[in-house]
Amino acid sequence: MAKKAHLLGFIQHGVNSHATGMWRHPKDKVGWNYARPEYWQHMARTMERGLFDAMFIADELAPYNTHANSSDPIVKYAVQFPTHEPSTIAPIITSATTHLGVGVTLSTAFEHPYSMCRRLSSLDHLSNGRIAWNIVSSYSKSEWEAYGAEMTDRGHRYERLDEYMELCYKLWNSWELDAIIADKESGVYADPSKVHEVVHEGTFFRSRGRHFVAPSPQGQPVLWQAGSSDRGRDFAAKHAEAIFAVLPTVARMRQYSDDLNTRVSERFNRPHGSVRLIYGVQTVVAETREEAQAKYERILACIPPEGALAWMSGHFGLDFSTFDLDDLIQDIEVPGIQGLFESILYARDGAPVTIRDAAIIYAQGMGMPVLVGTPADIADRLEEFMDDGGADGFMLIATYTPGCFEEFVDLVVPELQRRGRYRTEYPGTMLRENLLND
């Protein structure tokens, strides 16, 4: 049987997401306020109407300040600014829907595993089992400076992350299934011998205490990761139930898919198919190719060049204001997010890319493939990414909202369903059920 796609909406809790300058677009948030519940409820209902697995909420903890050693251009051009805290809208989204999950990006850098587990278990209860955690460790200097902390050595990042997860698993698994008695006559609510105290003395963390939240519907949130480096891929293959990657070509998708699947099954002895590979795409769809191309050109026209450079500087940890814009990106090494940098290196299938061009490519949607055309055109490419690239599904990056998701649901989803490449109903009620089932 042909593989069926999984779909997620990629968004940020702010005025602008990952397509720089979209707040300027004449169709962006018309009649909506991104800071109000009604906007998120409508977005959620739109995605659920399209049978999406989840709304995936990215995050950044502080405005980037790498470009010219200032966050001024980030503020000036609304480059992921302002951005509100992601987990606060999870209950708003799940209370407006019955199946749609919510993936929240939460950093391990400045929060202890004990409070992280408590927050995520609480959200999983409130959503009736529809929460995912995108596990990140903060990478930009602006985040560390905002928290008044010294940036940790990259060499120890994954050792710390592994221990972080070890303590999380101990807490989530510390309640036995029959721990709650709730006997009103005797007054005994829970058996203390079955709510185990976790004692952890590690290299990076110490903790002694009981998990303060009863087991949630999923037991623990769905675990999401975006590993790109060699160490990152190992971490993702070891812990994640779904992996998000930005890969600009089918060939890069296939290389990544083969590598991750091998790591999952051979290095970590996990069952084949137990980890979903979700690849980022940006779509611009219309009834005709001419209309779609015109829409795409309008999106490009909204990108501010300086804002694009500032965003690229922030993600890659390198001040691109000090370079000649005609320098080739292939001649530069960056300390920041390696996987996303590769999306620029291979954006033109290996052909040279200048810094000027790289900034605009990145500002469109972090180097993801941009699919412009009719519903059939878009469906053709998505099928190619699944069949030849090994994708299990797609993270649909926002352009103007909520219109980009409404258009995809109204135009592309029916085309995928007609081809038998997309579900016609949800297989379950909890996120893990929907994500791990075809």
Side-chain angles (χ1 to χ4, degrees), residues 229-393:
S229 66
D230 184 65
R231 290 289 303 277
R233 292 186 188 200
D234 267 353
F235 181 84
K238 180 180 180 180
H239 296 284
E241 295 167 87
I243 297 172
F244 170 42
V246 175
L247 302 158
T249 66
V250 174
R252 299 293 296 175
M253 290 178 191
R254 173 48 64 187
Q255 291 173 11
Y256 188 91
S257 299
D258 291 346
D259 180 55
L260 261 294
N261 286 327
T262 298
R263 291 175 194 247
V264 166
S265 59
E266 296 183 9
R267 190 169 296 181
F268 296 102
N269 199 30
R270 298 177 65 189
H272 178 74
S274 60
V275 180
R276 292 291 188 220
L277 301 179
I278 308 297
Y279 297 156
V281 296
Q282 186 181 78
T283 64
V284 182
V285 62
E287 297 285 359
T288 69
R289 291 176 180 173
E290 292 74 20
E291 288 176 283
Q293 185 63 34
K295 289 169 72 171
Y296 175 61
E297 296 295 337
R298 185 67 185 85
I299 288 169
L300 286 181
C302 291
I303 298 174
E306 186 185 6
L309 280 168
W311 189 30
M312 194 167 71
S313 295
H315 263 200
F316 300 144
L318 193 66
D319 182 3
F320 284 101
S321 72
T322 63
F323 289 82
D324 188 311
L325 295 182
D326 292 321
D327 287 348
L328 296 182
I329 204 79
Q330 281 87 351
D331 295 336
I332 298 170
E333 292 185 11
V334 302
I337 309 174
Q338 298 302 311
L340 291 179
F341 188 62
E342 287 188 8
S343 73
I344 301 300
L345 291 178
Y346 295 96
R348 292 180 175 164
D349 219 4
V353 179
T354 66
I355 290 175
R356 187 193 318 276
D357 292 339
I360 298 301
I361 292 169
Y362 200 74
Q364 291 176 55
M366 303 195 307
M368 297 179 186
V370 181
L371 313 183
V372 181
T374 66
D377 293 331
I378 304 296
D380 286 345
R381 295 298 305 282
L382 296 181
E383 286 190 284
E384 180 186 6
F385 295 162
M386 287 190 285
D387 297 340
D388 299 335
D392 293 313

